[in-house]
């Protein structure tokens, strides 16, 4: 009986180790941009949780808009790392670096997401835009700081 328990325990520990290792390597790859996308990796460094994060993008003369929220309708945590992908096909397949402007809107209270990205004014805080020369196949790191009392700021991290 002890031998069976020992073997079972060893097998369980080995399975947990394999799962942990494979999960860790997948999470690193999940944050890397594919050749046909630009990946924005957004570190929240806030004083409180927020409802949603809206991104208004202009690349290659084409404007797009979208947002990040939790599927379970919970707030985004004040220290979450989020990622946002821009696909080359959405922007008429540009070649080489192109000017990218991203304007973030913090929605301070959770609201059901909508395709118009139209949210109550009292919950919406507009950040100054970030402009950079972006190239497909690259990751760009951005940190958002602040709170609803003092306002929010977005800055590109130079890594």
């Amino acid at each position: 009986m002890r031998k069976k328990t020992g073997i079972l325990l060893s097998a369980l520990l080995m399975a947990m180790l394999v799962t942990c290792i494979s999960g860790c390597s997948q999470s690193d790859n999940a944050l890397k941009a594919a050749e046909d996308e630009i990946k924005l990796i957004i570190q929240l460094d806030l004083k409180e949780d927020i409802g949603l994060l809206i991104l208004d993008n202009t690349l290659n003369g084409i404007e797009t808009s979208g947002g990040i929220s939790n599927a379970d309708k919970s707030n985004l945590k004040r220290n979450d790392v989020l990622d946002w992908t821009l696909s080359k096909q959405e922007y008429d397949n540009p070649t080489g670096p192109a000017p990218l402007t991203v304007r973030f809107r913090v929605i301070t209270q959770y609201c059901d997401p909508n395709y118009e990205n139209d949210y109550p004014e009292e919950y919406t805080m507009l950040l100054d835009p970030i402009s950079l020369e972006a190239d497909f196949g690259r990751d760009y790191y951005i940190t958002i700081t602040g709170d609803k009392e003092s306002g929010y700021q977005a800055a590109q991290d130079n890594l």
Side-chain angles (χ1 to χ4, degrees):
M1 181 70 170
R2 278 190 152 158
K3 189 174 181 181
K4 263 187 170 176
T5 305
I7 292 171
L8 185 59
L9 185 57
S10 295
L12 182 61
L13 288 172
M14 184 61 79
M16 288 173 55
L17 180 63
V18 168
T19 301
C20 180
I21 290 171
S22 66
C24 292
S25 65
Q26 286 177 1
S27 66
D28 288 345
N29 291 336
L31 292 180
K32 300 294 179 198
E35 287 183 31
D36 64 344
E37 62 186 21
I38 294 169
K39 176 99 40 170
L40 303 179
I41 300 170
I42 306 157
Q43 172 69 60
L44 299 182
D45 186 11
L46 307 173
K47 293 184 181 175
E48 73 270 324
D49 298 345
I50 60 173
L52 302 113
L53 184 64
I54 307 302
L55 296 88
D56 300 313
N57 312 296
T58 304
L59 177 74
N60 202 29
I62 298 172
E63 295 180 6
T64 60
S65 185
I68 302 171
S69 65
N70 286 327
D72 66 1
K73 299 185 178 190
S74 65
N75 282 336
L76 299 172
K77 300 297 178 207
R78 63 185 189 83
N79 58 353
D80 276 349
V81 176
L82 311 169
D83 67 273
W84 183 257
T85 302
L86 293 93
S87 172
K88 199 172 197 176
Q89 293 76 23
E90 286 182 272
Y91 299 96
D92 292 339
N93 296 307
T95 58
L100 169 64
T101 302
V102 181
R103 181 177 293 252
F104 293 96
R105 288 183 273 159
V106 170
I107 311 303
T108 58
Q109 301 292 316
Y110 183 84
C111 300
D112 284 330
N114 60 72
Y115 289 109
E116 295 81 29
N117 284 325
D118 186 24
Y119 299 97
E121 195 173 310
E122 64 268 20
Y123 299 147
T124 303
M125 300 196 74
L126 188 62
L127 285 64
D128 289 335
I130 292 179
S131 295
L132 56 112
E133 218 31 51
D135 204 359
F136 287 89
R138 299 230 11 236
D139 300 330
Y140 297 90
Y141 296 84
I142 296 168
T143 300
I144 298 178
T145 57
D147 60 41
K148 61 183 164 188
E149 296 299 318
S150 304
Y152 298 94
Q153 301 79 37
Q156 181 184 359
D157 299 333
N158 296 319
L159 298 176

